[in-house]
Amino acid sequence: MQETDQHELDALLATSRIIRTFNSYYRAVDERQFDAPRFQRIFAPDGRIVRPNGAEIAGPADIAESHARSFARFEASQHLLTGHDVDLDGATATVRANLVAIHLWKDRPVTVRMEDRAFTAGGVVTADLRESGKGWRIAEVRTRILWRTGYFGDLAQTR
């Protein structure tokens, strides 16, 4: 195998691992798997999230705990990610993906229309990742919401 072919294969493998780490974060959120060990496998020790309102949370355990509190108000959520674009630079990478996130409120009656029980937001997520020696870890995730629709509940004040 030629050196350029090997380099290309290494880049494809790294890209696949980066996307898998990135997606595993949203899977953990949607499946309510907020245990600290799982978030330590996803985030760098100093990893952080920047919420759409600009609030920041740092450290895998604090991120997991914050998400457990925040997502307790939802019966379910689903984060749909598409168009992953990875920019790989050695042991660092940036990912950009389109996001549609659906959140179903726990406290809204089943008898109301879906748009009165849930909200949907669309936007762009970007993340910086680092290769840690134990795999790729998220250093930072940022979400930029472009649109929202539905019932916002206690989010109405933060839009």
Side-chain angles (χ1 to χ4, degrees):
M1 183 180 294
Q2 292 183 355
E3 188 176 322
T4 56
D5 291 339
Q6 185 60 51
H7 178 73
E8 204 172 307
L9 285 173
D10 291 345
L12 286 170
L13 182 59
T15 297
S16 177
R17 289 177 173 160
I18 290 161
I19 291 171
R20 183 174 183 186
T21 300
F22 181 74
N23 287 345
S24 70
Y25 166 58
Y26 292 95
R27 178 180 180 178
V29 169
D30 288 343
E31 293 180 355
R32 307 290 190 272
Q33 297 174 344
F34 298 123
D35 54 291
R38 178 176 315 278
F39 274 61
Q40 289 167 353
R41 289 190 305 271
I42 296 169
F43 284 91
D46 61 344
R48 65 186 179 143
I49 64 163
V50 180
R51 290 201 165 131
N53 66 3
E56 296 184 15
I57 300 138
D62 289 343
I63 293 168
E65 181 183 324
S66 174
H67 282 358
R69 280 192 319 270
S70 181
F71 281 87
R73 59 192 164 171
F74 301 119
E75 182 179 321
S77 66
Q78 187 173 33
H79 293 77
L80 307 171
L81 300 157
T82 64
H84 295 75
D85 184 21
V86 177
D87 184 17
L88 182 59
D89 185 13
T92 63
T94 302
V95 179
R96 180 206 182 277
N98 298 307
L99 167 73
V100 175
I102 305 152
H103 302 80
L104 186 63
W105 295 100
K106 248 185 204 175
D107 65 350
R108 301 292 292 169
V110 176
T111 56
V112 299
R113 299 174 308 163
M114 187 58 130
E115 58 266 23
D116 294 329
R117 282 191 76 208
F119 77 90
T120 302
V124 174
V125 181
T126 54
D128 297 325
L129 290 91
R130 293 191 298 261
E131 213 299 314
S132 70
K134 294 182 180 180
W136 288 91
R137 301 293 187 263
I138 296 172
E140 182 176 289
V141 175
R142 299 167 298 284
T143 305
R144 183 169 51 105
I145 299 301
L146 302 174
W147 57 270
R148 289 183 178 167
T149 186
Y151 176 75
F152 299 106
D154 62 358
L155 294 178
Q157 296 82 23
T158 61
R159 288 197 308 155

